[in-house]
C-alpha cells in the first residue's frame, strides 16, 4: 500500500473527529467562553512566578528575566497542546477501558494509536497555547538582540520536537492504563513533574537535573527553543535533542503495541 | 467459504483473588493469589454467509467473550478464528471495514451531538463515499423510523431511540458480518419488536451474516432458525430452533374446559375446578383429546407449546 | 456530636482500610505535590547570589522541607470527593446516614496521614543529606506552636474546600472555580515562593489574604522563622480565617443541602 493511501484515511478520520470535538465544545457555548477566558488569564498568570523569583535578581544561572520568560512561554505553548489534545484523550481512554467502549475504537479500520491519542480535543484550551506564543513574542522583543528569521524557525522546529517528546511521554502513561486502569492519577503526577519545565534547565543544580530529566527530558522541551531564540544554541545539542525525540517516540510506540496485546489477551 | 469459522476456540485468564479484611489485604501487598478461569472451552462454530444465528446461554456462559474473540477484540488462548476468510485476531483493516459489533449496554454515539454527527464520523472512519453513505443512511432512517431523531443531541434521546441510533451507527458502512450483543436489552416490548423487525429486514435485504445474543427468547424465535447454546464455556447445542424445542421442551400445556365439572382425572390431566389441566407429550395430545371428548361436553380447548425458556432451563439443568 | 465522637475510631479504622486498598493511587496523589521540590531547586540557585528574604542555602532547604511537611499534613481532597458525590448523586445516600458527611470526610482525610508520612520521609532524607546544615524548630515550645498552627491550617483548608464544594449544589460542578482559587493560592500562600521574596505589593496582598494561613504561617513556624513572642498573633490570624471560612462553608453547605434535597436528587 502506498503511503498516501495509508495516510489519507487517517487524516480524514482525525478531521471528522476534530469537527465533532468543536461541535461538542460549542454545544455548551457559555461554558466554552468562560473556560477560554479563564484559560487566557491562567496563561498570563504564568508570568508572575518568574517575575517574583527574579525580584531583586539581575540574572539567575546566566538567564535574565526576559530570557527565562522565553522558557515559560515555550512551556505554556506545550502545556496548552497537552491540555487541548493529549490529556482529554488519556482520560477518555481510561473511561473507555473501564466501560468497555474501547472495543468500538479497536474495531475501526484506522490505526488505534492515532484514534486513541487524537480523537478528542478541547478546543478552548488552545487559547493557552496562544497565550504562550504571546509570552514568547513579548519576551523575545525585550531581548538585547531580537531573534532573526533563522532563530525563529529553529525555535519553532524545536518546539515541535518538544511536542513530540511530550506526546511520547503521555503515550507511555496512557499505555500503562491497560495494566493499571486508574492512571488518571499518574497523569496528574506527570503534569506536576512537568512544572519543572517552566524554568531554564541551567537553573537546577546537577542533582535536580538528574532527578527531573530521568522522568522528563526537560531541557529539550522548553530550554532548547529558548536558547535558539537567544541565538546561543549549539547545533550539536539541537541534533541530539532530535535523536532523543526519535528514541522516545519509538519506545512509546513499542510499549503501546505491547499494551494493546495485553488488553486483548487479559480482558474478558 | 463460511462467513464465520471457529475451531477449538478456548479462552482462559488469570484473575487475582481479592483479599477480605485489613490483615489479608496487607498480606496481599506481597503476594497475590490467582485463580485460572476458563471462559470458553474448545468451541467449534461455523456460520454460512447470510445466516442469522441465535447465541444463547446463561449469564457468564461465555457468550460475550466468544463474540469478542470472533470480532478480534480478545486473543484466544487456543484455537483459530476466521471471519470472511481473515484471521480476525490481527484485526486487518480490510476485515474491520466489513464487520460490526453492536453492544446493547455500551454506547458509541457522541453524547452531546446528534446521532447524524456520529454517522458522519463513522462515514469518515470507514471511508464510505458520500453517495453510498446518503443511500444507506436514508435506508436506515426509513427502516428504523428515525425521522428527526437523528438531529437531536444523543443525550436527549430515549433509551429506545438511542438503541436504534446505535444500530444505525454500527451499520452505516454496510457490514457483511454483524455481531449483535443484547441489542434489545432494557427496551420496552414495542421497541423490542421494532428493533427485531429491523434486524430481520436488514439482514434479508443485505444478505448479512448475523450472530445475535439476547436474553429475550422472543428475539431469538423471531429472527433465528438456528441457535447455538453454550454453558460454562462449552457448546451444549447447535442446530435448528424447532429441534431444540422438540428435544428439550417436548410437552404441551393442555387445558380443557368442560360444561360440567369433571369427576375424575383423565390420564395425566388433573381436575382444577371446571377444567382438566396438565403437561402432555406432543405425540399423546390427539389421543388424549379424543378420550376427553368422549366423556362429556367440551366448551374450550387450549394446547400450547412450552415456552422456549423451559427448553433452555432444562438444557442448563435449572441454571438459566 | 457525642455519637460522632464515639463513632470516630471506627471511622478512622475504615478510612485506613480504604487507604490500604487504594494505596497505589494515594501514593501517586501524594507525590503530585512536588512543586516545593522544584522551587527548592530554583531558590537554591537564587541563594547563590546571597540570601533571599533572609534565607541562605540552608534556610531555603529548611523552608521548603517545612512547606512539604505542612502541605501533606494540612491537606484534604474534599472538594474532589464532594463534587463527585454531588454529580453522581451518591451524596443522597450519605445524607441518609445518622452521621454528618463532613465528619466522615474528615476521618477519611485524617486516615491518610500515616501514609503521607511514610511517603514523605524518603523524599526528605536526601534533602537533609544534601544540605545537612538545614534546621527545623524542633524544641518542645516550637513544636507545640507548630502543632496548633498545622491543625488550624488544616481546619482553614477543610472549610475552604467545604465552601467551594458546596457551590457545586448550584453549579453542578465547581472544580473549575476551585482551580482558580488553587492557582492564586499557589502564588500567594508561600507554597511556591517564600512570601518575603516577593515584591512589596505582592507581599502586602499575601499578608491580608487567607492563603498564608494554610501554608506560609505553619511553614514559617516549623522552619524556625517565628519568635515565640510573635506566635500568638499568627495563630490568631489563622483562627480568624478559620472562623470566617467555617461560617461561610457551613452556611453554603446547609443551604446547598436543602436545595439538593428539595430537588429530590
Amino acid at each position: 500500500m502506498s503511503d498516501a493511501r495509508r495516510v489519507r484515511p487517517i487524516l480524514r478520520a482525525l478531521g471528522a473527529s476534530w469537527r465533532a470535538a468543536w461541535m461538542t465544545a460549542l454545544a455548551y457555548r457559555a461554558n466554552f467562553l468562560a473556560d477560554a477566558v479563564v484559560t487566557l488569564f491562567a496563561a498570563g498568570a504564568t508570568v508572575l512566578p518568574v517575575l517574583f523569583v527574579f525580584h531583586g535578581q539581575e540574572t539567575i544561572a546566566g538567564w535574565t528575566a526576559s530570557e527565562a520568560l522565553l522558557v515559560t512561554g515555550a512551556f505554556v505553548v506545550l502545556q496548552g497542546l497537552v491540555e487541548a489534545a493529549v490529556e482529554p484523550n488519556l482520560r477518555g481512554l481510561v473511561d473507555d477501558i473501564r466501560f468497555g467502549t474501547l472495543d468500538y475504537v479497536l474495531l475501526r479500520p484506522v490505526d488505534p494509536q492515532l484514534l486513541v491519542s487524537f480523537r478528542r480535543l478541547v478546543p478552548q484550551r488552545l487559547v493557552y497555547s496562544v497565550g504562550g506564543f504571546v509570552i514568547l513574542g513579548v519576551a523575545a522583543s525585550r531581548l538585547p538582540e531580537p531573534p532573526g528569521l533563522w532563530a525563529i524557525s529553529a525555535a519553532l522546529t524545536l518546539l515541535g520536537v518538544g511536542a513530540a517528546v511530550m506526546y511520547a511521554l503521555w503515550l507511555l502513561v496512557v499505555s500503562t492504563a491497560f495494566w493499571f486502569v486508574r492512571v488518571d492519577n499518574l497523569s496528574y503526577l506527570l503534569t506536576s513533574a512537568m512544572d519543572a519545565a517552566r524554568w531554564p534547565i541551567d537553573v537546577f543544580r546537577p542533582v535536580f537535573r538528574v532527578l527531573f530529566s530521568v522522568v522528563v527530558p526537560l531541557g529539550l522541551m522548553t530550554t532548547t527553543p529558548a536558547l535558539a531564540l537567544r541565538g546561543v544554541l549549539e547545533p550539536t545539542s539541537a541534533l541530539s535533542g532530535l535523536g532523543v525525540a526519535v528514541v522516545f517516540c519509538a519506545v512509546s510506540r513499542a510499549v503501546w503495541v505491547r499494551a494493546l496485546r495485553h488488553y486483548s489477551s487479559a480482558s474478558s | 467459504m463460511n462467513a464465520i469459522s471457529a475451531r477449538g476456540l478456548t479462552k482462559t485468564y488469570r484473575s487475582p483473588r481479592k483479599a477480605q479484611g485489613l490483615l489479608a489485604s496487607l498480606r496481599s501487598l506481597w503476594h497475590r493469589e490467582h485463580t485460572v478461569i476458563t471462559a470458553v472451552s474448545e468451541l467449534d462454530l461455523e456460520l454460512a454467509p447470510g445466516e442469522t444465528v441465535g447465541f444463547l446461554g446463561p449469564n457468564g456462559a461465555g457468550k460475550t467473550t466468544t463474540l469478542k474473540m470472533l470480532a478480534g477484540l480478545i486473543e484466544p488462548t487456543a484455537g483459530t478464528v476466521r471471519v470472511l476468510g481473515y484471521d480476525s485476531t490481527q484485526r486487518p483493516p480490510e476485515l474491520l471495514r466489513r464487520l460490526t459489533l453492536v453492544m446493547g449496554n455500551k454506547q458509541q454515539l457522541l453524547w452531546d451531538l446528534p446521532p447524524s454527527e456520529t454517522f458522519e464520523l463513522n462515514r469518515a472512519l470507514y471511508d464510505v463515499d458520500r453517495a453510498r453513505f446518503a443511500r444507506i443512511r436514508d435506508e436506515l432512517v426509513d427502516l428504523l423510523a428515525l425521522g428527526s431523531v437523528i438531529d437531536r443531541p444523543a443525550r436527549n434521546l430515549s433509551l429506545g431511540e438511542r438503541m436504534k441510533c446505535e444500530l444505525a451507527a454500527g451499520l452505516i458502512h454496510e457490514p457483511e458480518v454483524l455481531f449483535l450483543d443484547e441489542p434489545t436489552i432494557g427496551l420496552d416490548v414495542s421497541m423490542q419488536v421494532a428493533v427485531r423487525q429491523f434486524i430481520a429486514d436488514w439482514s434479508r435485504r443485505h444478505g448479512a451474516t448475523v450472530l445475535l445474543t439476547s436474553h429475550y427468547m422472543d428475539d431469538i424465535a423471531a429472527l433465528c432458525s438456528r441457535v447455538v447454546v453454550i454453558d460454562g464455556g462449552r457448546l451444549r447445542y447447535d442446530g435448528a430452533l424447532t429441534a431444540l424445542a422438540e428435544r428439550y421442551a417436548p410437552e404441551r400445556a393442555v387445558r380443557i374446559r368442560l360444561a360440567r365439572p369433571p369427576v375424575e382425572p383423565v390420564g395425566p390431566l388433573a381436575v382444577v375446578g371446571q377444567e382438566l389441566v396438565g403437561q402432555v407429550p406432543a405425540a399423546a395430545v390427539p389421543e388424549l383429546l379424543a378420550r376427553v371428548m368422549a366423556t362429556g361436553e367440551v366448551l374450550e380447548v387450549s394446547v400450547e407449546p412450552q415456552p422456549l425458556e423451559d427448553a433452555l432451563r432444562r438444557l442448563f439443568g435449572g441454571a438459566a | 456530636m457525642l455519637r460522632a465522637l464515639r463513632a470516630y475510631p471506627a471511622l478512622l479504622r475504615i478510612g485506613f482500610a480504604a487507604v490500604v486498598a487504594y494505596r497505589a493511587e494515594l501514593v501517586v496523589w501524594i507525590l503530585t505535590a512536588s512543586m516545593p521540590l522544584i522551587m527548592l531547586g530554583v531558590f537554591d540557585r537564587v541563594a547563590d547570589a546571597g540570601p533571599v528574604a533572609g534565607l541562605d542555602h540552608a534556610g531555603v532547604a529548611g523552608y521548603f522541607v517545612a512547606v512539604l511537611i505542612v502541605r501533606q499534613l494540612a491537606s484534604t481532597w474534599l472538594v474532589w470527593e464532594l463534587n463527585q458525590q454531588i454529580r453522581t448523586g451518591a451524596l443522597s445516600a450519605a445524607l441518609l446516614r445518622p452521621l454528618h458527611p463532613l465528619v466522615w470526610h474528615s476521618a477519611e482525610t485524617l486516615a491518610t496521614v500515616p501514609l503521607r508520612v511514610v511517603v514523605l520521609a524518603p523524599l526528605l532524607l536526601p534533602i537533609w543529606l544534601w544540605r545537612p546544615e538545614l534546621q527545623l524548630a524542633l524544641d518542645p515550645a516550637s513544636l507545640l506552636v507548630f502543632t496548633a498552627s498545622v491543625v488550624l491550617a488544616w481546619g482553614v483548608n477543610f472549610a475552604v474546600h467545604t465552601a467551594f464544594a458546596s457551590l457545586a449544589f448550584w453549579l453542578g460542578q465547581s472544580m473549575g472555580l476551585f482551580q482558580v482559587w488553587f492557582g492564586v493560592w499557589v502564588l500567594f500562600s508561600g507554597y511556591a515562593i517564600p512570601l518575603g521574596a516577593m515584591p512589596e505589593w505582592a507581599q502586602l496582598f499575601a499578608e491580608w489574604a487567607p492563603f498564608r494561613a494554610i501554608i506560609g504561617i505553619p511553614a514559617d513556624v516549623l522552619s524556625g522563622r517565628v519568635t515565640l513572642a510573635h506566635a500568638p498573633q499568627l495563630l490568631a490570624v489563622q483562627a480568624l480565617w478559620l472562623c470566617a471560612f467555617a461560617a461561610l462553608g457551613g452556611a453554603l453547605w446547609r443551604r446547598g443541602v436543602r436545595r439538593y434535597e428539595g430537588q429530590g436528587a
Side-chain angles (χ1 to χ4, degrees):
Chain A
M1 201 190 283
S2 78
D3 275 355
R5 276 194 58 197
R6 210 191 280 247
V7 168
R8 229 172 11 149
I10 291 171
L11 290 181
R12 202 177 19 235
L14 290 184
S17 299
W18 286 343
R19 201 181 91 95
W22 272 100
M23 295 188 61
T24 305
L26 292 173
Y28 297 94
R29 218 160 308 161
N31 187 61
F32 177 86
L33 279 177
D35 204 7
V37 170
V38 170
T39 305
L40 194 63
F41 270 101
T46 58
V47 172
L48 284 179
V50 179
L51 296 185
F52 288 176
V53 167
F54 274 85
H55 172 67
Q57 313 285 332
E58 199 53 44
T59 63
I60 299 174
W63 293 72
T64 64
S66 295
E67 289 164 350
L69 277 177
L70 292 174
V71 179
T72 300
F75 171 80
V76 173
V77 169
L78 291 180
Q79 185 65 21
L81 290 179
V82 166
E83 283 181 17
V86 183
E87 238 183 289
N89 285 292
L90 171 83
R91 299 208 203 300
L93 178 78
V94 173
D95 285 345
D96 280 341
I97 294 175
R98 268 225 291 271
F99 302 124
T101 40
L102 181 68
D103 293 341
Y104 286 129
V105 177
L106 297 181
L107 287 179
R108 308 290 185 221
V110 181
D111 186 304
Q113 181 190 329
L114 290 166
L115 219 45
V116 157
S117 33
F118 294 120
R119 92 199 120 118
R120 291 186 179 85
L121 184 74
V122 183
Q124 62 268 38
R125 290 305 164 89
L126 289 173
V127 173
Y128 204 66
S129 290
V130 173
F133 277 113
V134 172
I135 295 172
L136 272 176
V138 172
S141 72
R142 293 169 56 113
L143 290 175
E145 213 173 305
L149 206 60
W150 177 242
I152 290 174
S153 45
L156 287 177
T157 311
L158 286 166
L159 260 181
V161 172
V165 172
M166 198 89 125
Y167 166 68
L169 274 170
W170 278 85
L171 185 64
L172 276 175
V173 173
V174 165
S175 302
T176 59
F178 290 91
W179 284 278
F180 319 100
V181 171
R182 301 295 316 270
V183 304
D184 23 357
N185 292 327
L186 220 50
S187 75
Y188 289 111
L189 189 60
L190 187 59
T191 307
S192 74
M194 215 80 97
D195 262 332
R198 288 166 191 268
W199 306 97
I201 189 85
D202 313 322
V203 165
F204 298 106
R205 290 185 199 289
V207 192
F208 284 89
R209 237 176 280 175
V210 170
L211 185 70
F212 295 131
S213 320
V214 170
V215 215
V216 186
L218 291 178
L220 180 66
M221 292 190 311
T222 54
T223 305
T224 47
L227 288 173
L229 286 175
R230 286 174 61 188
V232 293
L233 181 70
E234 310 279 337
T236 47
S237 67
L239 279 177
S240 63
L242 208 64
V244 170
V246 170
V247 170
F248 257 84
C249 289
V251 168
S252 64
R253 169 76 186 181
V255 172
W256 162 261
V257 169
R258 277 203 61 148
L260 260 196
R261 200 165 313 138
H262 171 81
Y263 175 74
S264 59
S265 66
S267 64
S268 63
Chain B
M1 186 189 69
N2 273 339
I4 299 172
S5 163
R7 301 257 162 77
L9 207 54
T10 301
K11 178 69 195 175
T12 59
Y13 55 91
R14 277 151 43 94
S15 148
R17 208 174 286 165
K18 252 289 179 263
Q20 290 262 314
L22 183 56
L23 230 104
S25 53
L26 274 173
R27 205 177 304 130
S28 75
L29 287 180
W30 281 277
H31 60 249
R32 282 194 161 184
E33 293 186 345
H34 290 268
T35 32
V36 174
I37 295 167
T38 305
V40 177
S41 170
E42 306 265 328
L43 192 69
D44 293 329
L45 192 61
E46 301 285 333
L47 262 72
E51 212 177 354
T52 298
V53 173
F55 195 30
L56 305 177
N59 286 333
K63 296 187 302 272
T64 302
T65 306
T66 306
L67 226 50
K68 285 189 178 180
M69 279 197 281
L70 295 175
L73 289 168
I74 298 181
E75 207 173 310
T77 315
T80 58
V81 187
R82 302 241 130 211
V83 177
L84 298 170
Y86 295 96
D87 178 359
S88 57
T89 52
Q90 301 297 318
R91 288 197 295 271
E94 301 77 32
L95 170 62
L96 296 183
R97 228 166 264 150
R98 292 164 65 185
L99 68 75
T100 197
L101 168 68
V102 178
M103 295 174 276
N105 51 0
K106 289 170 191 171
Q107 73 155 31
Q108 63 164 321
L109 294 177
L110 299 165
W111 189 243
D112 292 313
L113 295 183
S116 56
E117 289 301 327
T118 304
F119 300 167
E120 182 63 33
L121 175 64
N122 283 5
R123 183 195 73 75
L125 289 174
Y126 284 97
D127 194 13
V128 183
D129 71 66
R130 287 195 183 276
R132 192 165 144 231
F133 169 73
R135 182 171 54 73
I136 302 170
R137 189 195 51 206
D138 292 347
E139 185 186 349
L140 285 166
V141 167
D142 182 42
L143 283 178
L144 284 165
L146 285 173
S148 67
V149 165
I150 65 166
D151 295 319
R152 300 212 309 265
R155 63 170 190 276
N156 295 342
L157 301 182
S158 74
L159 185 63
E161 290 169 333
R162 216 152 58 214
M163 193 57 231
K164 286 185 185 177
C165 291
E166 289 283 344
L167 270 169
L171 295 173
I172 207 80
H173 58 293
E174 217 181 348
E176 294 156 55
V177 173
L178 278 57
F179 297 107
L180 306 179
D181 194 12
E182 302 279 359
T184 55
I185 198 162
L187 303 186
D188 65 37
V189 176
S190 68
M191 198 53 88
Q192 279 179 33
V193 172
V195 167
R196 204 177 287 154
Q197 187 59 44
F198 163 75
I199 296 171
D201 286 349
W202 177 270
S203 61
R204 191 165 29 80
R205 282 173 175 224
H206 295 260
T209 311
V210 182
L211 187 58
L212 167 86
T213 75
S214 177
H215 268 99
Y216 302 109
M217 281 311 130
D218 293 344
D219 285 349
I220 305 292
L223 290 171
C224 316
S225 53
R226 178 182 156 203
V227 292
V228 172
V229 183
I230 65 169
D231 186 17
R234 289 181 180 281
L235 185 71
R236 297 294 297 272
Y237 179 85
D238 181 355
L241 182 64
T242 47
L244 176 76
E246 272 324 303
R247 178 141 29 127
Y248 292 99
E251 297 183 332
R252 299 291 179 267
V254 176
R255 178 180 288 268
I256 303 170
R257 196 177 159 85
L258 299 168
R260 248 167 299 130
V263 191
E264 54 186 24
V266 180
L269 298 180
V271 179
V272 179
Q274 214 166 313
E275 294 181 342
L276 286 166
V277 177
Q279 302 277 338
V280 182
V285 171
E287 190 242 318
L288 197 68
L289 276 182
R291 264 174 66 194
V292 176
M293 300 266 212
T295 60
E297 197 181 339
V298 173
L299 291 181
E300 199 182 328
V301 175
S302 96
V303 179
E304 300 227 350
Q306 275 175 286
L308 262 174
E309 279 85 351
D310 281 5
L312 289 178
R313 205 172 298 131
R314 212 165 287 180
L315 186 58
F316 304 139
Chain C
M1 192 63 213
L2 205 66
R3 186 162 45 192
L5 271 180
R6 237 177 311 143
Y8 218 75
L11 296 181
L12 284 177
R13 208 164 50 239
I14 299 167
F16 186 69
V19 167
V20 173
Y22 297 110
R23 63 211 172 249
E25 283 115 1
L26 294 186
V27 167
V28 168
W29 263 113
I30 291 167
L31 290 177
T32 54
S34 64
M35 187 179 279
L37 272 180
I38 296 170
M39 297 316 290
L40 168 59
V42 172
F43 276 99
D44 188 65
R45 173 70 78 183
V46 176
D48 283 358
V52 225
L55 298 169
D56 57 4
H57 285 127
V60 166
Y63 179 76
F64 281 108
V65 163
V67 168
L68 277 167
I69 293 172
V70 172
R71 163 81 163 138
Q72 288 307 332
L73 293 181
S75 187
T76 174
W77 294 313
L78 184 66
V79 78
W80 282 271
E81 309 243 335
L82 277 180
N83 257 286
Q84 186 151 346
Q85 286 195 326
I86 291 170
R87 210 173 50 241
T88 59
L91 189 66
S92 306
L95 286 171
L96 286 179
R97 285 198 226 138
L99 184 79
H100 199 287
L102 290 178
V103 173
W104 165 235
H105 281 297
S106 73
E108 243 182 349
T109 308
L110 284 182
T112 62
V113 168
L115 184 70
R116 291 172 185 279
V117 172
V118 168
V119 175
L120 203 54
L123 276 180
L124 298 184
L125 191 68
I127 300 178
W128 182 65
L129 288 175
W130 172 57
R131 292 264 180 241
E133 67 276 22
L134 86 84
Q135 278 188 344
L136 298 178
L138 296 177
D139 58 288
S142 301
L143 270 185
L144 203 69
V145 175
F146 173 68
T147 309
S149 180
V150 92
V151 168
L152 285 169
W154 181 82
V156 176
N157 204 15
F158 198 78
V160 167
H161 273 244
T162 306
F164 273 98
S166 299
L167 292 177
F169 287 120
W170 286 272
L171 305 172
Q173 166 68 279
S174 61
M175 281 314 299
L177 274 177
F178 181 76
Q179 289 300 336
V180 174
W181 155 276
F182 189 79
V184 183
W185 175 90
V186 164
L187 271 183
F188 294 97
S189 64
Y191 182 54
I193 295 160
L195 296 179
M198 300 204 294
E200 219 94 316
W201 66 268
Q203 278 190 47
L204 197 69
F205 172 69
E207 195 168 334
W208 291 97
F211 309 106
R212 70 183 180 129
I214 299 171
I215 290 283
I217 292 176
D220 278 345
V221 172
L222 185 59
S223 58
R225 305 206 305 142
V226 174
T227 59
L228 283 180
H230 191 45
Q233 193 193 331
L234 291 176
L235 292 179
V237 168
Q238 282 185 293
L240 219 64
W241 283 118
L242 177 58
C243 292
F245 277 104
L248 179 67
L252 284 173
W253 169 265
R254 272 191 300 277
R255 280 165 164 257
V257 166
R258 220 175 300 142
R259 186 186 147 86
Y260 185 72
E261 288 168 338
Q263 286 172 337

